Short mmCIF file of all heavy atoms in Angstrom, two decimals:
data_model
loop_
_atom_site.label_atom_id
_atom_site.label_comp_id
_atom_site.label_asym_id
_atom_site.label_seq_id
_atom_site.Cartn_x
_atom_site.Cartn_y
_atom_site.Cartn_z
N THR C 74 16.51 -5.90 -1.59
CA THR C 74 15.63 -4.78 -1.92
C THR C 74 14.73 -5.20 -3.08
O THR C 74 15.09 -6.07 -3.88
CB THR C 74 16.39 -3.50 -2.32
OG1 THR C 74 17.20 -3.78 -3.48
CG2 THR C 74 17.27 -3.00 -1.19
N CYS C 75 13.58 -4.57 -3.15
CA CYS C 75 12.65 -4.79 -4.26
C CYS C 75 11.98 -3.46 -4.54
O CYS C 75 11.76 -2.66 -3.62
CB CYS C 75 11.61 -5.85 -3.90
SG CYS C 75 10.43 -6.18 -5.24
N ASP C 76 11.63 -3.23 -5.78
CA ASP C 76 11.01 -1.96 -6.13
C ASP C 76 9.49 -1.94 -5.92
O ASP C 76 8.83 -0.96 -6.25
CB ASP C 76 11.35 -1.56 -7.57
CG ASP C 76 10.83 -2.53 -8.62
OD1 ASP C 76 10.16 -3.53 -8.25
OD2 ASP C 76 11.11 -2.31 -9.82
N CYS C 77 8.93 -2.99 -5.29
CA CYS C 77 7.49 -2.98 -5.05
C CYS C 77 7.16 -2.18 -3.78
O CYS C 77 8.01 -1.97 -2.93
CB CYS C 77 6.94 -4.41 -4.93
SG CYS C 77 7.32 -5.27 -3.40
N HIS C 78 5.90 -1.76 -3.69
CA HIS C 78 5.47 -0.95 -2.55
C HIS C 78 5.49 -1.72 -1.24
O HIS C 78 5.79 -1.17 -0.19
CB HIS C 78 4.07 -0.38 -2.81
CG HIS C 78 4.01 0.55 -3.98
ND1 HIS C 78 4.64 1.78 -3.96
CD2 HIS C 78 3.44 0.42 -5.19
CE1 HIS C 78 4.44 2.38 -5.12
NE2 HIS C 78 3.72 1.57 -5.90
N PHE C 79 5.16 -3.01 -1.29
CA PHE C 79 5.11 -3.80 -0.05
C PHE C 79 6.49 -3.86 0.59
O PHE C 79 6.61 -3.71 1.80
CB PHE C 79 4.59 -5.22 -0.35
CG PHE C 79 4.22 -5.98 0.89
CD1 PHE C 79 2.93 -5.91 1.40
CD2 PHE C 79 5.15 -6.77 1.54
CE1 PHE C 79 2.58 -6.61 2.55
CE2 PHE C 79 4.81 -7.47 2.69
CZ PHE C 79 3.53 -7.39 3.20
N HIS C 80 7.52 -4.07 -0.22
CA HIS C 80 8.88 -4.14 0.32
C HIS C 80 9.28 -2.81 0.96
O HIS C 80 9.93 -2.78 2.00
CB HIS C 80 9.88 -4.54 -0.77
CG HIS C 80 11.19 -4.98 -0.23
ND1 HIS C 80 12.17 -4.10 0.19
CD2 HIS C 80 11.68 -6.21 0.00
CE1 HIS C 80 13.21 -4.77 0.63
NE2 HIS C 80 12.94 -6.05 0.54
N ALA C 81 8.88 -1.73 0.35
CA ALA C 81 9.21 -0.40 0.89
C ALA C 81 8.60 -0.22 2.28
O ALA C 81 9.21 0.39 3.16
CB ALA C 81 8.72 0.69 -0.05
N ASP C 82 7.42 -0.79 2.49
CA ASP C 82 6.74 -0.64 3.78
C ASP C 82 7.18 -1.67 4.83
O ASP C 82 7.23 -1.36 6.01
CB ASP C 82 5.22 -0.76 3.60
CG ASP C 82 4.64 0.41 2.83
OD1 ASP C 82 5.28 1.49 2.79
OD2 ASP C 82 3.54 0.25 2.27
N TYR C 83 7.49 -2.90 4.39
CA TYR C 83 7.72 -3.99 5.33
C TYR C 83 9.13 -4.58 5.31
O TYR C 83 9.46 -5.43 6.13
CB TYR C 83 6.70 -5.11 5.10
CG TYR C 83 5.30 -4.66 5.40
CD1 TYR C 83 4.46 -4.22 4.37
CD2 TYR C 83 4.81 -4.64 6.69
CE1 TYR C 83 3.17 -3.79 4.63
CE2 TYR C 83 3.53 -4.21 6.97
CZ TYR C 83 2.72 -3.78 5.94
OH TYR C 83 1.45 -3.35 6.21
N GLY C 84 9.95 -4.18 4.35
CA GLY C 84 11.32 -4.69 4.29
C GLY C 84 11.44 -6.10 3.74
O GLY C 84 12.53 -6.68 3.73
N THR C 85 10.34 -6.65 3.28
CA THR C 85 10.33 -7.95 2.61
C THR C 85 9.10 -8.00 1.71
O THR C 85 8.23 -7.13 1.80
CB THR C 85 10.31 -9.12 3.62
OG1 THR C 85 10.57 -10.33 2.92
CG2 THR C 85 8.99 -9.21 4.37
N CYS C 86 9.06 -8.97 0.83
CA CYS C 86 7.92 -9.11 -0.07
C CYS C 86 7.96 -10.48 -0.71
O CYS C 86 8.94 -11.22 -0.57
CB CYS C 86 7.93 -8.02 -1.14
SG CYS C 86 9.35 -8.11 -2.24
N SER C 87 6.91 -10.81 -1.44
CA SER C 87 6.86 -12.12 -2.10
C SER C 87 7.97 -12.25 -3.15
O SER C 87 8.46 -13.36 -3.39
CB SER C 87 5.50 -12.35 -2.74
OG SER C 87 5.22 -11.34 -3.69
N HIS C 88 8.39 -11.15 -3.73
CA HIS C 88 9.41 -11.20 -4.78
C HIS C 88 10.78 -11.54 -4.19
O HIS C 88 11.49 -12.41 -4.69
CB HIS C 88 9.44 -9.87 -5.53
CG HIS C 88 8.09 -9.39 -5.89
ND1 HIS C 88 7.49 -8.31 -5.27
CD2 HIS C 88 7.17 -9.88 -6.76
CE1 HIS C 88 6.28 -8.13 -5.76
NE2 HIS C 88 6.06 -9.08 -6.67
N SER C 89 11.16 -10.87 -3.11
CA SER C 89 12.45 -11.17 -2.48
C SER C 89 12.42 -12.55 -1.82
O SER C 89 13.41 -13.29 -1.86
CB SER C 89 12.84 -10.08 -1.47
OG SER C 89 11.90 -9.97 -0.42
N MET C 90 11.28 -12.93 -1.23
CA MET C 90 11.19 -14.26 -0.62
C MET C 90 11.26 -15.36 -1.66
O MET C 90 11.79 -16.45 -1.39
CB MET C 90 9.90 -14.38 0.20
CG MET C 90 9.96 -13.61 1.50
SD MET C 90 8.57 -13.94 2.59
CE MET C 90 7.34 -12.81 1.91
N THR C 91 10.78 -15.09 -2.87
CA THR C 91 10.90 -16.06 -3.96
C THR C 91 12.36 -16.37 -4.23
O THR C 91 12.77 -17.53 -4.33
CB THR C 91 10.23 -15.53 -5.25
OG1 THR C 91 8.84 -15.37 -5.00
CG2 THR C 91 10.46 -16.45 -6.43
N LEU C 92 13.17 -15.33 -4.34
CA LEU C 92 14.59 -15.54 -4.60
C LEU C 92 15.29 -16.20 -3.42
O LEU C 92 16.16 -17.05 -3.61
CB LEU C 92 15.27 -14.22 -4.96
CG LEU C 92 14.86 -13.70 -6.34
CD1 LEU C 92 15.42 -12.32 -6.58
CD2 LEU C 92 15.30 -14.66 -7.42
N GLN C 93 14.92 -15.85 -2.21
CA GLN C 93 15.50 -16.50 -1.04
C GLN C 93 15.23 -18.00 -1.08
O GLN C 93 16.12 -18.80 -0.79
CB GLN C 93 14.94 -15.90 0.25
CG GLN C 93 15.43 -14.50 0.50
CD GLN C 93 14.72 -13.85 1.67
OE1 GLN C 93 13.53 -14.08 1.89
NE2 GLN C 93 15.44 -13.05 2.42
N ARG C 94 14.02 -18.37 -1.45
CA ARG C 94 13.68 -19.80 -1.51
C ARG C 94 14.41 -20.50 -2.65
O ARG C 94 14.92 -21.60 -2.50
CB ARG C 94 12.18 -19.98 -1.67
CG ARG C 94 11.41 -19.60 -0.40
CD ARG C 94 9.91 -19.74 -0.62
NE ARG C 94 9.56 -21.14 -0.82
CZ ARG C 94 8.99 -21.91 0.11
NH1 ARG C 94 8.72 -21.42 1.29
NH2 ARG C 94 8.69 -23.16 -0.16
N LEU C 95 14.47 -19.85 -3.81
CA LEU C 95 15.14 -20.47 -4.96
C LEU C 95 16.64 -20.65 -4.74
O LEU C 95 17.23 -21.64 -5.16
CB LEU C 95 14.94 -19.60 -6.21
CG LEU C 95 13.57 -19.66 -6.87
CD1 LEU C 95 13.49 -18.59 -7.95
CD2 LEU C 95 13.34 -21.03 -7.46
N LEU C 96 17.26 -19.69 -4.08
CA LEU C 96 18.71 -19.67 -3.94
C LEU C 96 19.20 -20.13 -2.57
O LEU C 96 20.39 -20.05 -2.29
CB LEU C 96 19.21 -18.25 -4.20
CG LEU C 96 18.82 -17.65 -5.54
CD1 LEU C 96 19.20 -16.18 -5.60
CD2 LEU C 96 19.44 -18.43 -6.68
N ASP C 97 18.31 -20.63 -1.75
CA ASP C 97 18.54 -20.93 -0.35
C ASP C 97 19.95 -21.40 -0.03
O ASP C 97 20.68 -20.76 0.73
CB ASP C 97 17.51 -21.96 0.13
CG ASP C 97 17.65 -22.31 1.59
OD1 ASP C 97 17.90 -21.40 2.40
OD2 ASP C 97 17.50 -23.50 1.92
N GLN C 98 20.38 -22.52 -0.56
CA GLN C 98 21.67 -23.10 -0.20
C GLN C 98 22.87 -22.28 -0.68
O GLN C 98 23.97 -22.46 -0.18
CB GLN C 98 21.78 -24.51 -0.75
CG GLN C 98 20.82 -25.48 -0.11
CD GLN C 98 21.01 -26.86 -0.67
OE1 GLN C 98 22.12 -27.29 -0.95
NE2 GLN C 98 19.92 -27.59 -0.84
N MET C 99 22.64 -21.39 -1.63
CA MET C 99 23.74 -20.60 -2.17
C MET C 99 23.88 -19.24 -1.48
O MET C 99 24.76 -18.47 -1.83
CB MET C 99 23.57 -20.42 -3.67
CG MET C 99 23.70 -21.73 -4.43
SD MET C 99 23.45 -21.53 -6.19
CE MET C 99 21.66 -21.54 -6.25
N LEU C 100 23.02 -18.97 -0.52
CA LEU C 100 23.06 -17.69 0.19
C LEU C 100 23.76 -17.85 1.54
O LEU C 100 23.62 -18.89 2.18
CB LEU C 100 21.64 -17.18 0.44
CG LEU C 100 20.82 -16.82 -0.79
CD1 LEU C 100 19.38 -16.55 -0.38
CD2 LEU C 100 21.42 -15.61 -1.49
N PRO C 101 24.45 -16.82 1.98
CA PRO C 101 24.96 -16.85 3.35
C PRO C 101 23.78 -17.03 4.31
O PRO C 101 22.66 -16.59 4.02
CB PRO C 101 25.61 -15.47 3.53
CG PRO C 101 25.84 -14.95 2.16
CD PRO C 101 24.78 -15.58 1.29
N SER C 102 24.00 -17.68 5.42
CA SER C 102 22.89 -18.04 6.32
C SER C 102 22.04 -16.84 6.73
O SER C 102 20.82 -16.96 6.85
CB SER C 102 23.43 -18.75 7.57
OG SER C 102 24.33 -17.92 8.26
N GLU C 103 22.63 -15.68 6.91
CA GLU C 103 21.85 -14.51 7.34
C GLU C 103 20.92 -13.98 6.24
O GLU C 103 20.04 -13.17 6.52
CB GLU C 103 22.77 -13.39 7.84
CG GLU C 103 23.69 -12.80 6.80
CD GLU C 103 25.01 -13.53 6.64
OE1 GLU C 103 25.19 -14.63 7.19
OE2 GLU C 103 25.89 -12.98 5.94
N LEU C 104 21.07 -14.43 5.01
CA LEU C 104 20.22 -13.97 3.92
C LEU C 104 19.22 -15.02 3.47
O LEU C 104 18.45 -14.79 2.55
CB LEU C 104 21.08 -13.55 2.72
CG LEU C 104 22.00 -12.36 2.98
CD1 LEU C 104 22.91 -12.12 1.80
CD2 LEU C 104 21.19 -11.12 3.30
N ARG C 105 19.24 -16.17 4.12
CA ARG C 105 18.29 -17.23 3.79
C ARG C 105 16.92 -16.92 4.38
O ARG C 105 16.80 -16.10 5.27
CB ARG C 105 18.80 -18.56 4.33
CG ARG C 105 20.03 -19.03 3.61
CD ARG C 105 20.50 -20.34 4.13
NE ARG C 105 21.76 -20.68 3.50
CZ ARG C 105 22.54 -21.64 3.91
NH1 ARG C 105 22.22 -22.36 4.97
NH2 ARG C 105 23.67 -21.89 3.27
#
């Protein structure tokens, strides 16, 4: 989740994707 408007509309955003990329190997596969 993210508190930005784009995430509220689309379920993803640059902010959440940033963390997905940074943490890639440490996330369960379904959250990568």
Side-chain angles (χ1 to χ4, degrees):
T74 60
C75 180
D76 63 2
C77 75
H78 297 292
F79 193 90
H80 195 281
D82 292 339
Y83 295 97
T85 192
C86 64
S87 59
H88 314 108
S89 61
M90 286 189 277
T91 296
L92 289 173
Q93 289 172 325
R94 290 178 66 103
L95 285 171
L96 304 172
D97 181 40
Q98 293 182 37
M99 293 179 278
L100 295 171
S102 60
E103 64 273 11
L104 296 174
R105 292 181 186 167

